DNA sequence: ACAAAAGTGTTGCATATACACCCATGG
DNA sequence: CCATGGGTGTATATGCAACACTTTTGT
């Protein structure tokens, strides 16, 4: 059926993902550069339209794949952005998501049909973004910081096995503050969020760390 | 601008409110009965389309007023419902809200342009609802139960002054379980969520309760 | 043997839970 | 004076935060 009422016709639903990583202890977000107007040559978050045969989670998965070829990201809904003028093209609301991924397992496209560049940006060096993506990113960081301890959103940040010190650095860098190492370890083991694999790191310049895995 | 791409044209944005109250210790939700197809004569939650010049919060406020004449409700976003077939008419996503109100201060319309009845239903006697509103209601109850201690969502459940036992009953009825009276009181006073007014209930059959107000 | 980073355990404090007694009112 | 519900305080357990020493490895 056609929607003809001018009060609410020509509306669109977008999905937008703030994809995060931590590389060498630096908290980063993935951005793409638009090839076409509006916001030509502006950096934005990954996103696109939700199709009529998809729910929003499915659309987010597809858009992520189309824009970057990345799969198997754990992401979670994070907010709704609905200012009437947030897109200059037409009335579009955005359902926003956050996700976290291991930068070393990601191959991504530098260019696609609609993008001319793509890259990871350190959180404190993010350029001004198109649409209302500055606002979406700010909210996403806030939600990530809240969820980091209560959900398994970080479970794709590292390979299957990882060291506790590296996870510790990741938390500190995402939260932007220091966390006590001993309490951090206790917290994760007591709640059985991670599990000792019995394995050890190899060829380190220091005492080798144990390897853990998520449960 | 017109949206012509068949993949994502004719989409709509709806807002849906689960409006709750507690009356004589019974947890209830407000429903309206549809006058027209689809779901003619079915009970549903309060809701409607988001107009092009509104953000979703504004739309929710307007819809609530139009469908019930109720104003000044504190409500909070609660979820996104986007199954492609959730509305038989066209592709509609729903942004859902929860709100709580004092049943005694509410005058509502039994009939409007689009509704032929409206009423409060005890949570355990809710009839099958139209659209996916059963699902939305279930999620809303879950979110309300989570938010009840951390937000001021209940602050419109009672008149300005209220007794602690009545608030206690409301919590128990919403949560569906018993809460220790003494710890409940301690919790609310210690966090300065409520404040002693120095006043007392009058003409009760029992020992008069103190009157409190939200802070 | 020393520097650098990894591993571990204890103690105090704050918060949440469990629980029992006294008080005011109406009948 | 008794039944009903309202008000208050204490003791314990639990979870969180602060903190210091020992171990392994490479140089």
């Amino acid at each position: 059926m056609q929607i003809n009422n001018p009060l609410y016709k020509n509306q669109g639903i977008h999905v937008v993902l703030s994809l995060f990583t931590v590389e060498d202890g630096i908290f980063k977000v993935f951005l793409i550069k638009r090839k076409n107007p509006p916001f030509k040559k502006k950096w934005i978050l990954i996103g696109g339209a939700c199709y009529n045969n998809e729910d929003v989670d499915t659309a987010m998965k597809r858009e992520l794949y189309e824009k970057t070829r990345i799969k198997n990201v754990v992401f979670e809904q994070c907010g709704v952005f609905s200012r009437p003028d947030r897109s200059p093209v037409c009335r579009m609301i955005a359902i926003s998501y956050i996700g976290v991924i291991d930068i070393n397992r990601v191959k991504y496209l530098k260019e696609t049909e609609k993008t001319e560049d793509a890259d990871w940006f350190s959180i404190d060096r993010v350029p001004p973004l198109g649409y209302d993506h500055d606002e979406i990113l700010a909210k996403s960081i806030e939600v990530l910081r809240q969820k980091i301890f209560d959900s398994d959103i970080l479970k794709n940040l590292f390979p299957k096995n990882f060291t506790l010190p590296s996870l510790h650095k990741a938390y500190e860098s995402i939260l932007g503050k220091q966390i006590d190492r001993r309490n951090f370890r206790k917290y994760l083991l007591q709640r059985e969020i991670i599990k000792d694999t019995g394995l050890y790191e190899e060829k380190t310049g220091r005492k080798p760390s144990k390897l853990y895995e998520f449960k």
Side-chain angles (χ1 to χ4, degrees), chain A:
Chain A
M1 190 175 131
Q2 284 267 111
I3 299 177
N4 291 314
N5 190 324
L7 284 170
Y8 51 85
K9 76 176 195 183
N10 283 312
Q11 299 185 333
I13 302 157
H14 266 205
V15 289
V16 175
L17 174 66
S18 298
L19 184 63
F20 297 111
T21 197
V22 177
E23 183 179 27
D24 301 328
I26 310 288
F27 182 28
K28 298 185 173 182
V29 64
F30 191 82
L31 300 176
I32 55 185
K33 194 178 201 173
R34 288 183 60 84
K35 199 181 264 181
N36 306 311
F39 300 108
K40 184 172 173 176
K41 292 189 180 291
K42 275 274 192 181
W43 291 95
I44 57 166
L45 297 166
I46 300 158
C50 176
Y51 294 168
N52 283 325
N53 63 347
E54 298 171 321
D55 65 28
V56 284
D57 289 12
T58 307
M60 189 71 260
K61 206 170 193 170
R62 177 186 49 72
E63 280 292 336
L64 174 61
Y65 183 75
E66 284 182 4
K67 295 281 188 351
T68 66
R69 293 294 181 276
I70 298 172
K71 281 172 122 170
N72 298 322
V73 174
V74 178
F75 50 71
E76 299 187 15
Q77 262 185 46
C78 150
V80 176
F81 295 81
S82 65
R83 280 212 331 265
D85 60 351
R86 61 173 293 283
S87 162
V89 180
C90 75
R91 205 289 152 83
M92 283 285 178
I93 74 162
I95 312 299
S96 80
Y97 287 83
I98 55 177
V100 178
I101 187 122
D102 178 6
I103 195 170
N104 296 312
R105 282 182 300 160
V106 174
K107 291 259 175 282
Y108 59 88
L109 299 179
K110 272 289 185 184
E111 191 180 346
T112 68
E113 188 196 343
K114 293 174 179 171
T115 62
E116 64 173 50
D117 201 359
D119 217 333
W120 292 100
F121 285 76
S122 167
I123 289 295
D124 41 22
R125 297 212 178 96
V126 170
L129 305 179
Y131 298 100
D132 56 348
H133 288 197
D134 287 318
E135 191 189 336
I136 295 181
L137 177 58
K139 176 78 184 300
S140 298
I141 293 171
E142 194 186 306
V143 172
L144 178 64
R145 285 176 177 158
Q146 279 166 13
K147 286 202 171 172
I148 201 174
F149 283 108
D150 302 321
S151 87
D152 57 353
I153 190 141
L154 288 199
K155 91 171 181 212
N156 283 336
L157 180 54
F158 293 105
K160 188 163 182 307
N161 294 341
F162 54 88
T163 67
L164 231 151
S166 64
L167 186 62
H168 180 236
K169 275 200 203 78
Y171 269 74
E172 290 193 328
S173 130
I174 290 170
L175 294 173
K177 65 175 185 191
Q178 297 202 326
I179 306 171
D180 184 275
R181 283 157 51 230
R182 296 153 289 192
N183 292 335
F184 180 72
R185 174 186 301 267
K186 206 186 310 169
Y187 180 91
L188 293 171
L189 290 171
Q190 202 168 285
R191 313 223 164 174
E192 304 193 319
I193 297 167
I194 61 172
K195 207 174 70 180
D196 195 333
T197 61
L199 304 174
Y200 285 84
E201 227 183 352
E202 287 177 8
K203 294 194 246 177
T204 111
R206 309 278 167 256
K207 173 173 178 178
S209 311
K210 286 189 182 177
L211 292 174
Y212 292 85
E213 62 187 8
F214 281 100
K215 253 192 123 171

